Amino acid sequence: MGFAGAMAVAMAVDALLGWPSWLFARIGHPVTWLGRLISAIDAAWNRDSDPPAFRRAAGVAGALLVIAISVAIGWVLQSLLPWGWMEIILAGVLAWPLVALRSLHDHVAAVAKPLQAGNIAAARDAVSRIVGRDPATLDEAGIARAAIESLAENASDGIVAPVFWGALFGLPGILGYKAINTLDSMIGHRSERHEAFGWAAARIDDVANFIPARLTGFLFALLASRRSEALSCMTRDARRHRSPNAGWPEAAMAGALGVRLSGPRIYHGSATDEPWLNDGARDPLAADISRGLTIYRRAMLLLAGVLAILALA
């Protein structure tokens, strides 16, 4: 239960401080450190001249190496901590950079503010920082939809999942998960270069997020004023999403807000015809981003509270 307490501490510290820009300027961030390692392995092991089967095997080895190094670092750090409450506090502080609670909130709120003021250009610029779709093609509904989807999906990937694995296994768990998630974001996509090399990264990420994604969806539904609609939409539409996991928090949020999410969009000039979540509902507006942030804050507060109770039990 000490691991649960450490994750509650990490959430509390991040909610209060985030990751200060002055600290990032001086030492970077653990995710950027992982990114350098992954980039080096990608450059050295993912050779265009190799056949797909060899590149897939190299990708498996590279992913396992990054995860093993991360878990080992977590284990060493945890083994050096003193016993008792000091261990919980120090482990929480060490886990703090791996919980993106405040960063996600601030980035999504930065989209809502100009959109509510009618400044579409500023809202497009803000949303381009958190999604990969082409911002120039987005109207108010498209911007709001992108921001809400990012909020829902990243609540799972950026907070619930690392906290879940950290509560189970401590620093090795949260560091191992962060390695998995960073691998997926960097090489787990279906591009020509990473179709084979990133296969393992994507599959491991799917497994690691299976429970956290569903837990996030249930947290959203539980704390929504439209609870039955959120649950119904989640259980009905989650599997329609292109991702085996992202559809759960996104569908729950769509039902909770009474809006439709996902659907057709444009990535890098190419249109993709994605199915709607909560088809038949209205398009989201700027005010719905703020309503989504309210649900998000409630869900994260409940999660931190449950972790604190487990630590004290």
Side-chain angles (χ1 to χ4, degrees):
M1 291 303 99
F3 295 159
M7 294 306 107
V9 170
M11 292 182 72
V13 175
D14 189 73
L16 290 171
L17 301 178
W19 190 247
S21 57
W22 64 265
L23 189 57
F24 181 83
R26 284 167 173 77
I27 66 171
H29 188 274
V31 171
T32 63
W33 307 339
L34 279 168
R36 293 191 192 102
L37 174 60
I38 295 166
S39 294
I41 291 173
D42 185 28
W45 294 7
N46 187 18
R47 294 185 290 267
D48 294 339
S49 58
D50 290 333
F54 189 90
R55 293 173 76 174
R56 176 177 288 197
V60 172
L64 293 177
L65 177 62
V66 172
I67 296 167
I69 290 173
S70 301
V71 169
I73 291 172
W75 181 84
V76 170
L77 289 173
Q78 192 160 280
S79 68
L80 295 174
L81 298 179
W83 290 94
W85 282 101
M86 187 58 68
E87 178 188 19
I88 294 174
I89 294 170
L90 291 176
V93 171
L94 289 171
W96 153 42
L98 307 174
V99 180
L101 193 153
R102 181 162 182 165
S103 174
L104 175 58
H105 182 281
D106 290 351
H107 277 87
V108 174
V111 179
K113 185 175 180 180
L115 193 61
Q116 288 175 323
N119 190 340
I120 297 294
R124 283 173 175 162
D125 179 66
V127 84
S128 70
R129 303 173 190 273
I130 57 175
V131 299
R133 66 198 71 175
D134 295 339
T137 66
L138 301 177
D139 56 9
E140 180 183 1
I143 294 169
R145 184 178 299 116
I148 294 167
E149 289 170 9
S150 180
L151 174 66
E153 181 177 0
N154 286 296
S156 175
D157 292 357
I159 302 99
V160 178
V163 164
F164 174 82
W165 291 108
L168 286 179
F169 302 111
L171 292 177
I174 193 170
L175 275 164
Y177 172 78
K178 212 62 184 180
I180 291 168
N181 188 243
T182 308
L183 280 161
D184 180 64
S185 65
M186 292 186 65
I187 64 172
H189 37 84
R190 292 184 175 179
S191 64
E192 182 179 353
R193 175 168 176 78
H194 293 116
E195 178 74 29
F197 189 76
W199 174 84
R203 299 293 79 75
I204 296 170
D205 184 77
D206 288 344
V207 173
N209 282 296
F210 185 88
I211 295 175
R214 287 148 183 82
L215 176 59
T216 307
F218 278 106
L219 283 171
F220 288 162
L222 179 65
L223 296 167
S225 57
R226 300 165 51 97
R227 188 175 302 127
S228 61
E229 291 91 338
L231 284 170
S232 175
C233 184
M234 181 177 67
T235 55
R236 183 188 67 238
D237 289 351
R239 294 175 181 83
R240 303 183 67 201
H241 199 280
R242 66 189 182 280
S243 164
N245 295 317
W248 290 83
E250 287 188 27
M253 187 64 81
L257 299 176
V259 301
R260 62 177 185 172
L261 297 177
S262 195
R265 74 277 309 279
I266 299 175
Y267 285 108
H268 309 296
S270 300
T272 60
D273 189 19
E274 303 289 345
W276 291 104
L277 303 177
N278 205 23
D279 192 12
R282 64 177 176 84
D283 284 322
L285 300 173
D288 294 310
I289 304 177
S290 296
R291 292 172 59 216
L293 283 167
T294 298
I295 295 172
Y296 166 78
R297 288 192 295 268
R298 291 173 181 169
M300 297 305 104
L301 184 60
L302 176 59
L303 178 60
V306 170
L307 291 168
I309 290 170
L310 288 174
L312 295 170

